[in-house]
Amino acid sequence: MELTRKKKTLHANEAESERVKKLRSQDWTTIREVCLKDLVFIDETGVNLAMNRRYARAKKGKRAYSKCPDNRGNNVTMIGAIAPTGILAPFRNCL
């Protein structure tokens, strides 16, 4: 039958209910009234400066070596806002 084992892609079965379909339709009606120039998208990300890869490549039978900071390092948080007119507010914070 030429079937192979695959990981399933799941979705909520409630998404197909009449109540959710009606709510989705109402949301689209509201979104259509919003002007594109009024939209602002905000995103946040963070990183720790002491992060290091835990795996590496080495010849078979040999150990992979690397260096990394001994202390925990600083956390860096970055937040940005973008609109159709361009970038509005890049922000970086070291904690």
Side-chain angles (χ1 to χ4, degrees), residues 20-95:
V20 173
K21 287 180 181 179
K22 183 178 177 184
L23 288 171
R24 193 177 298 126
S25 174
Q26 290 172 354
D27 283 346
W28 276 110
T29 302
T30 304
I31 290 171
R32 282 190 193 106
E33 297 172 2
V34 175
C35 284
L36 180 63
K37 64 182 177 113
D38 294 335
L39 294 177
V40 176
F41 300 93
I42 299 173
D43 192 22
E44 175 188 16
T45 188
V47 67
N48 184 288
L49 296 179
M51 289 177 68
N52 190 10
R53 293 183 180 175
R54 297 288 179 199
Y55 293 89
R57 296 184 187 274
K59 290 186 177 182
K60 192 170 186 172
K62 301 289 184 181
R63 185 177 293 264
Y65 291 97
S66 181
K67 295 180 181 180
C68 69
D70 193 32
N71 57 7
R72 289 188 58 203
N74 291 333
N75 292 325
V76 177
T77 302
M78 295 166 280
I79 301 172
I82 191 167
T85 56
I87 296 173
L88 300 178
F91 177 72
R92 190 186 106 186
N93 183 16
C94 291
L95 300 174

Side-chain angles (χ1 to χ4, degrees), residues 9-17 20 24:
T9 302
L10 303 175
H11 71 279
N13 57 0
E14 295 86 359
E16 304 300 326
S17 72
V20 173
R24 193 177 298 126

